[in-house]
Every structure is written in structure tokens, then in C-alpha cells.
Amino acid sequence: MKNEEKTLLRIEHLVKRFDVSTNAFQKEYVHAVEDVSFEIKKGETLGLVGESGCGKTTLGRTILRLYEPTAGKIIYDGQTVFDKAASRQPDMFDFRKKMQMIFQDPSASLDPRMTVGDIIAEPLDVHGLCNSKKERTERIHQLIERVGLTQEQANRYPHEFSGGQQQRVGIARALAVGPEFIVCDEPISALDVSIQSQIVNMLEDMQAEMGLTYLFIAHDISVVRHISNRIGVMYLGSMVELAESFELNKNPIHPYTKTLLSAVPIPDPKKSRQRERIVLEGDIPSPVNPPSGCKFHTRCPYKTKRCEEETPAFREVEPGHYAACHLI
Ligand SMILES: Nc1ncnc2c1ncn2[C@@H]1O[C@H](COP(=O)(O)OP(=O)(O)O)[C@@H](O)[C@H]1O
Ligand code: SF4
Ligand SMILES: [Mg+2]
């Protein structure tokens, strides 16, 4: 990780709620992201994990203002991207060149009526980054080759590509405008296991080559633990723990993180037998009506009366290790 100390992105008390009211008299909201704060350093990979539906995609999209935040503040490289307290929000046009997203489902994120070359070049066109047709074609060819495809494939359509190749196109498109920060939203979840590591390796190579900063989302902690410098764990819209990757794996504090880690298979059968496996009871509660106090209390084996009444603060327990639990 280069320039370790420079903060590239800071979010403060970010909230995103979706209005799902069915009538005007009774307002109902999905509490998708609730009061989340963290920083990402330049050149770092921050892994973000948690069960499906806990708000990872919403958080990624809200940071890029693909969803308008409900509350909070987003600062990118010292510049305000969003501030609920301000009367007007900044224009996103220039930020879009710096902040990009790679989507979970590559087939759904590529327009089936466009050639792959045009899909890759669309952000270049929007930002007027090519002065001639020749330059545009050259740039498409550079990008398509960078993601391991051939120049000839630029004239084909997305349906002619495999899932892994479609994801390569999605990555080329994200790279087109020369971004600094990329939200990688479960970029390998929809792909065959055999090609998942190829895509991860490619993203890692690109990071080293271009000094990229990643927010790398996964529902499975085993996917991100080797590639992330730090890992954040989300539960029902809230960040419950955040630490250096090694530290989080070795010394998890929050009961929910312990559960996630206990589900990761260990290759050594002896060690695997010795390990305590924590199985969570019950389903993840509805984010429309999240539990009071600590949102994890309905499933936590250690809950007390206080947990039902009082929301635990997300605080620094040890240097660089944050968690939200009354037990610590
Ligand atoms: N556009 C939307 N409208 C209403 N609810 C949404 C919308 N997008 C996501 N949600 C809800 O917000 C919660 C978080 O979803 P999401 O961010 O997709 O979770 P994850 O990526 O962790 O699986 C879920 O309950 C989901 O159903
Ligand atoms: S605050 Fe209470 S319910 Fe929440 S994780 Fe800690 S012990 Fe469990
Ligand atoms: Mg998601």
C-alpha cells in the first residue's frame, strides 16, 4: 500500500433509507444504511462483508451518489461530495471520472444492444475524453487488451461473451476514465469458481500498476481477507466492526464477526474439528423495523437487557480496531 497515511475518502454518519410506504398516512422506510462512518486510505483495499441484504451495495452506491444519501457527509480527497447540512450538493460530473463502480451481475450491467467497444467507450464519450475517432478506437483497444480480451472482440455484443469475459468488459468500462477509486461490488460472486481468482488477480495487478483504491464488497469474508488491508463488517445497515485484515481474522471482537469467521472452512481437518462453530439462530430481522438497541440482539448468544435498550457506540477499542458491542 502506497501513501499509507493519506485519506482518500471519508464518510461521516452516512444514512440511506428507501421510502417503501404503501400509503400516505403511514410512512415506512427500509433502513438500508444507518449511521456509518469510516475512512479509506489512498492505495488501500477496504473489504466490506456481511450477509446478503445488510446494505453493502446500498452503501457503495450511496458513496458514489448513485443513490442520494438521506443524511451524513461524504468527503473525497478533501472535497465535499455530499453534505446534508449544505443547502446545495456538489455537481457529480467531475467526481464520476475519479470514482467508478464494478457491478455484481456483469450481464445485467452491460447494455445488450451496444457493442462491447461502445460500452467501454461510453464513459469516454460522456466526458469528451477523445479528440478523434482514431483516438477513441485506440483507447478501446488498449482497455480491452488490458483486461485480457482481444481487439477483435470490441465489435461483438455482450451475449457472445462468458460471465467472466463480461466482467472483464465491466472492468474495462470502469477503467476507461482513469479513476482513482473503485467500488468493486461482489465482482466475482456471479462467476464460476475457476475464474474467480483470475479476476481478483487482475484487479490486484491493476491496483499495483495504477495506484487504485478499492472498496471491495463480498458476502463471504474468505473472499476478501487475503486482498484487503482492512475489513469492515456490516450487520443490518450498521458497521459493527472494522480492523486491519490480519487483526480482524486473528482477534475478532464482535460476536457477529466471530460467527462469520467460524463459518469459514479450515483446510486442516484436525484444526477444523477443534474449532468452535457458532451458528446463528433466527433470520436476519426486517430492515423496515430494525430491532431496538443493538440490532444484533435478536440473534446474539451474549445479549443482556442493556443490549435491547441501548445502541452500542462504534468505538476504537484498540488502535485501529473499532467495534460496537456493550461487552467490550
Ligand atoms: N431501491 C431499493 N428500494 C427499496 N429497498 C431497497 C432498494 N435497494 C436495496 N433495498 C433494500 O435495502 C437493504 C439493503 O440492500 P443491499 O444494499 O442490496 O444489501 P447487500 O448488498 O448487502 O445484499 C435490503 O433490505 C434491500 O431489500
Ligand atoms: S451489544 Fe449485546 S447483543 Fe449486541 S453484539 Fe454485543 S452482546 Fe451481543
Ligand atoms: Mg449487494
Side-chain angles (χ1 to χ4, degrees):
M1 188 168 63
K2 287 176 206 149
N3 301 323
E4 252 173 304
E5 295 319 314
K6 187 166 188 282
T7 296
L8 186 65
L9 177 81
R10 193 167 83 234
I11 65 170
E12 293 173 12
H13 308 292
L14 199 65
V15 176
K16 177 62 188 173
R17 292 181 184 162
F18 295 106
D19 188 344
V20 289
S21 314
T22 46
N23 68 65
F25 304 105
Q26 198 181 354
K27 283 284 180 198
E28 279 197 319
Y29 298 94
V30 173
H31 297 233
V33 173
E34 282 293 305
D35 194 12
V36 172
S37 302
F38 60 80
E39 290 184 355
I40 305 184
K41 307 281 180 207
K42 190 164 166 45
E44 136 170 275
T45 297
L46 179 70
L48 188 63
V49 295
E51 283 164 292
S52 180
C54 72
K56 305 180 297 295
T57 296
T58 305
L59 177 58
R61 285 176 161 265
T62 306
I63 289 173
L64 303 189
R65 273 184 67 201
L66 296 173
Y67 291 150
E68 207 56 6
T70 305
K73 204 168 169 180
I74 306 169
I75 313 283
Y76 181 85
D77 210 6
Q79 287 179 286
T80 303
V81 174
F82 179 86
D83 183 357
K84 183 67 184 171
S87 52
R88 268 187 68 224
Q89 302 307 329
D91 182 63
M92 285 304 286
F93 191 75
D94 287 335
F95 284 116
R96 299 247 177 266
K97 268 194 289 196
K98 298 174 180 170
M99 306 161 87
Q100 285 285 313
M101 185 148 181
I102 299 169
F103 298 91
Q104 178 170 1
D105 182 352
S107 61
S109 64
L110 307 177
D111 187 335
R113 295 158 304 178
M114 288 169 76
T115 65
V116 152
D118 283 338
I119 288 173
I120 294 172
E122 196 180 31
L124 295 171
D125 300 338
V126 168
H127 287 276
L129 295 178
C130 296
N131 294 320
S132 64
K133 210 160 175 256
K134 182 165 167 280
E135 191 185 339
R136 183 179 185 272
T137 307
E138 278 171 6
R139 190 79 186 109
I140 293 171
H141 289 166
Q142 267 172 8
L143 286 160
I144 205 162
E145 287 188 337
R146 181 63 194 82
V147 295
L149 300 172
T150 61
Q151 292 189 6
E152 294 70 44
Q153 286 175 306
N155 299 319
R156 306 239 184 102
Y157 289 85
H159 74 268
E160 299 174 67
F161 291 73
S162 68
Q165 289 173 327
Q166 287 174 346
Q167 193 55 294
R168 288 173 191 269
V169 173
I171 294 169
R173 179 184 160 93
L175 289 179
V177 286
E180 301 162 341
F181 171 65
I182 304 182
V183 174
C184 307
D185 186 9
E186 303 207 35
I188 58 168
S189 304
L191 307 180
D192 285 348
V193 175
S194 58
I195 47 171
Q196 289 185 345
S197 57
Q198 291 174 16
I199 298 290
V200 169
N201 290 343
M202 194 175 76
L203 289 169
E204 285 192 291
D205 290 348
M206 286 171 175
Q207 179 173 45
E209 203 179 295
M210 303 173 207
L212 299 171
T213 304
Y214 291 149
L215 178 65
F216 200 106
I217 299 174
H219 60 263
D220 184 346
I221 201 165
S222 61
V223 171
V224 293
R225 62 177 177 179
H226 300 297
I227 58 164
S228 304
N229 302 100
R230 291 184 303 144
I231 295 177
V233 179
M234 279 183 83
Y235 184 78
L236 211 58
S238 301
M239 186 75 84
V240 295
E241 187 160 1
L242 175 70
E244 295 257 334
S245 180
F246 182 76
E247 164 72 6
L248 190 96
N249 280 281
K250 201 171 121 259
N251 184 25
I253 294 177
H254 197 282
Y256 181 61
T257 313
K258 289 183 186 173
T259 329
L260 288 185
L261 284 168
S262 88
V264 175
I266 302 180
D268 180 343
K270 196 166 158 225
K271 278 194 191 153
S272 180
R273 271 195 302 275
Q274 285 165 351
R275 181 177 63 181
E276 187 194 359
R277 179 100 202 259
I278 312 167
V279 180
L280 279 187
E281 284 177 19
D283 293 330
I284 191 160
S286 163
V288 177
N289 250 322
S292 60
C294 171
K295 286 189 210 162
F296 189 52
H297 85 248
T298 55
R299 300 169 87 192
C300 180
Y302 310 106
K303 75 139 191 205
T304 61
K305 187 92 189 94
R306 184 180 176 204
C307 306
E308 290 173 29
E309 292 160 0
E310 200 183 313
T311 306
F314 186 66
R315 63 184 183 85
E316 194 166 17
V317 182
E318 284 166 33
H321 195 151
Y322 298 79
C325 174
H326 292 310
L327 285 186
I328 37 116

